[in-house]
Amino acid sequence: MARRADTIELAVLGLLHEGPMHGYELRKRLNLMLGWGRVLSYGSLYPALKKMLRANLITEVAGPATTSTRRPRITYEVTPAGNEHFQRLMSEVGPTAWEDDNFDIRFAFFSSTDMEIRLRVLEGRRSRLQERLARVQGELERTQAEVNRYAAELQRHGVESVEREVRWLSDLIQAERADPPRPAPTPTPTTD
């Protein structure tokens, strides 16, 4: 599967895990989730939905016809197989979990993820960014005299952005470790 298709699939399953949605609502929520830099068109969404339907990850439920189009409004729901697939995707902790393409989507659904997995993904992301930061800082030192001031400013901005994200990730990791999982509350006996 193409990387973008994997990202769309994970995001759709995560949103439908929260509850049924129709295509327009899915696209709107996905665009909010993906951010302004990665706008999702219907030409990308509907083929992904059809593929997920064929794989039995989601189902279509036809609602009453709308007055404007006279066609039924299709709502999508996640299937039990889709829920299992979503949980499996969210429990993966390899490099795809912390790469730029998937990290934001996975992070949006962290509440559905075990704390140990969250920590491994956050630590993996931080490690990857620290590697990138060291590489960029080294290149910046070597090329400082060779680039114009605008290119140098853009490089500096990139370094500051990565440094800010590394600090944010470190704060998240620290908070995860400081807040151990709480046991489920035990029901209190009632007296009649």
Side-chain angles (χ1 to χ4, degrees):
M1 239 198 280
R3 189 171 279 214
R4 181 162 171 89
D6 289 342
T7 301
I8 293 170
E9 181 178 287
L10 177 62
V12 167
L13 287 173
L15 288 172
L16 294 179
H17 187 74
E18 296 172 359
M21 290 183 203
H22 53 84
Y24 173 78
E25 186 178 2
L26 268 171
R27 180 176 175 261
K28 190 168 85 174
R29 296 270 312 269
L30 286 167
N31 281 331
L32 284 172
M33 189 179 294
L34 293 170
W36 64 270
R38 299 188 289 178
V39 176
L40 182 70
S41 69
Y42 288 114
S44 298
L45 175 60
Y46 282 105
L49 290 172
K50 294 299 180 195
K51 184 175 182 184
M52 294 170 72
L53 283 163
R54 285 190 305 272
N56 194 34
L57 299 175
I58 61 173
T59 59
E60 287 180 330
V61 177
T66 62
T67 56
S68 60
T69 64
R70 295 190 180 151
R71 290 189 340 209
R73 185 176 204 174
I74 304 294
T75 301
Y76 297 93
E77 296 179 359
V78 69
T79 64
N83 275 324
E84 286 178 28
H85 187 63
F86 175 70
Q87 294 303 326
R88 194 170 39 255
L89 291 172
M90 290 300 293
S91 66
E92 291 175 359
V93 292
T96 58
W98 51 74
E99 292 296 339
D100 293 341
D101 292 341
N102 279 333
F103 178 75
D104 295 348
I105 301 299
R106 290 179 62 91
F107 187 79
F109 300 116
F110 257 19
S111 62
S112 301
T113 309
D114 179 69
M115 183 185 79
E116 287 301 317
I117 292 170
R118 287 192 307 264
L119 276 171
R120 289 180 64 187
V121 170
L122 291 170
E123 289 167 344
R125 175 74 176 169
R126 181 178 63 181
S127 175
R128 181 61 48 97
L129 289 176
Q130 288 170 327
E131 291 168 6
R132 186 183 302 166
L133 185 60
R135 186 177 62 248
V136 169
Q137 287 173 327
E139 290 170 6
L140 188 60
E141 290 173 11
R142 285 191 302 277
T143 61
Q144 195 68 37
E146 300 170 9
V147 297
N148 67 49
R149 70 181 192 160
Y150 299 105
E153 191 62 28
L154 185 60
Q155 289 175 335
R156 186 185 63 74
H157 173 68
V159 166
E160 289 174 358
S161 296
V162 174
E163 288 172 337
R164 190 171 37 253
E165 187 171 349
V166 167
R167 283 191 306 272
W168 174 69
L169 289 164
S170 295
D171 291 346
L172 287 170
I173 291 166
Q174 183 178 357
E176 282 285 333
R177 288 190 176 131
D179 189 21
R182 294 175 189 90
T186 55
T188 55
T190 58
T191 56
D192 294 325

